[in-house]
Amino acid sequence: FNAPAVPEKMARIKQAANLSGDIDLGGWLQSLVRRLGLPTSLHEMGVDRGVLPEIAAKANLDHLSATNPRQVNEADYMNLLTAAWQPN
């Protein structure tokens, strides 16, 4: 979500991880988490899908939303949470 707003930071993360510039960082991280045997979705963590709207609403009210690199609203949070919940 934030990658388009902070390409220089994404490049620094790739450099720190010794990854080539064309690597999809999100995919690489998900692969790493899988290799470590950790859950890769909120569903796998046992989060009930029914709580996602409440989490999105509370996240939108959190003061840290104002400092996010990209403007974010409750619908954005809901989209992110829904994507993060999907079983893999």
Side-chain angles (χ1 to χ4, degrees):
F1 181 83
N2 285 327
V6 288
E8 67 289 343
K9 289 183 180 183
M10 304 312 290
R12 285 197 334 240
I13 292 170
K14 288 180 184 182
Q15 183 181 23
N18 202 27
L19 301 173
S20 67
D22 61 340
I23 293 287
D24 169 44
L25 187 57
W28 181 84
L29 287 169
Q30 189 172 42
S31 176
L32 173 63
V33 169
R34 279 193 184 118
R35 288 192 314 265
L36 293 172
L38 300 171
T40 59
S41 72
L42 295 175
H43 178 266
E44 289 178 18
M45 291 180 201
V47 175
D48 186 305
R49 187 180 182 129
V51 302
L52 299 185
E54 181 181 354
I55 295 170
K58 287 182 178 181
N60 192 52
L61 295 175
D62 191 286
H63 69 282
L64 294 177
S65 286
T67 62
N68 196 63
R70 186 172 155 193
Q71 190 171 18
V72 62
N73 60 39
E74 189 171 335
D76 293 324
Y77 282 120
M78 190 62 197
N79 288 335
L80 289 164
L81 289 163
T82 299
W85 187 89
Q86 297 302 319
N88 294 318

